[in-house]
């Protein structure tokens, strides 16, 4: 299973914000610089995370972004489900575009489906707080 950059960046933003102390605000530039990724991509990601109710945006001169929920209330499996376009690991997972001739008898699709379910079950067992673990260690790496 491979995650899109969109999901990767969404998780990175949440991890970054989870390391901040006392409702501190961050901005897109800080996060982009910390991870060496595009500000434009992060703007889109942050906007969507806001629509999901995960990130709060404070406007104005001293504005920025912060988590809208406690890190222990943000489930990783749910984030992945919301940010991934689809989970079409193989052609037959996409009923509209499936042209594979062995689909009616193929056992691979069942094995891959079970693997995908196991993957998501593992992610469902984690929150942002679990992934951050030691916020000080993250801050030392990200907040230079």
């Amino acid at each position: 299973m491979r995650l899109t950059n969109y999901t990767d960046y969404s998780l990175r933003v949440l991890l970054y914000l989870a390391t901040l102390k006392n409702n501190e605000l961050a901005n897109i530039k800080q996060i982009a610089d910390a991870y060496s990724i595009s500000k434009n991509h992060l703007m889109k990601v942050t906007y969507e995370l806001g629509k999901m109710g995960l990130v709060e945006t404070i406007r104005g001169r001293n504005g920025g972004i912060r988590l809208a929920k406690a890190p222990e209330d943000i489930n990783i499996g749910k984030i992945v489900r919301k940010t991934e376009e689809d989970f079409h690991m193989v052609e037959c997972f996409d009923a509209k575009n499936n042209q594979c001739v062995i689909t009616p008898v193929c056992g691979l699709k069942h094995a891959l489906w079970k693997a995908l379910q196991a993957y998501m079950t593992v992610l469902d067992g984690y929150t942002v707080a679990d992934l951050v673990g030691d916020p000080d260690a993250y801050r030392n790496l990200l907040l230079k």
Side-chain angles (χ1 to χ4, degrees):
M1 183 80 207
R2 184 176 182 159
L3 298 177
T4 60
N5 283 342
Y6 188 85
T7 298
D8 179 22
Y9 294 172
S10 296
L11 293 170
R12 289 193 211 192
V13 167
L14 295 171
L15 293 173
Y16 185 98
L17 296 176
T19 67
L20 302 178
K21 294 181 179 180
N22 305 323
N23 264 349
E24 186 180 352
L25 297 173
N27 63 50
I28 300 294
K29 182 179 180 345
Q30 291 169 320
I31 299 170
D33 290 348
Y35 290 120
S36 297
I37 55 181
S38 163
K39 286 191 320 185
N40 290 335
H41 283 65
L42 287 184
M43 288 173 56
K44 294 174 192 172
V45 164
T46 303
Y47 174 75
E48 290 300 322
L49 290 173
K51 284 177 39 180
M52 288 182 222
L54 299 172
V55 170
E56 179 182 15
T57 303
I58 310 321
R59 300 226 182 258
R61 185 170 187 223
N62 296 316
I65 57 174
R66 64 180 168 215
L67 291 180
K69 295 182 175 185
E72 57 272 10
D73 294 333
I74 303 174
N75 181 273
I76 301 304
K78 287 181 182 176
I79 301 305
V80 170
R81 283 181 185 87
K82 288 181 179 180
T83 56
E84 282 296 304
E85 292 177 12
D86 62 55
F87 292 97
H88 298 160
M89 294 174 64
V90 288
E91 182 180 331
C92 60
F93 278 27
D94 182 4
K96 285 184 184 177
N97 298 310
N98 182 20
Q99 298 295 315
C100 183
V101 297
I102 63 172
T103 298
V105 297
C106 182
L108 177 62
K109 67 181 174 187
H110 299 293
L112 291 175
W113 180 253
K114 286 175 89 172
L116 176 59
Q117 297 310 307
Y119 179 79
M120 294 309 299
T121 298
V122 169
L123 293 179
D124 286 338
Y126 288 91
T127 67
V128 168
D130 296 326
L131 298 183
V132 169
D134 179 5
D136 290 330
Y138 272 81
R139 278 193 292 276
N140 289 335
L141 293 171
L142 294 173
L143 306 177
K144 296 176 184 178

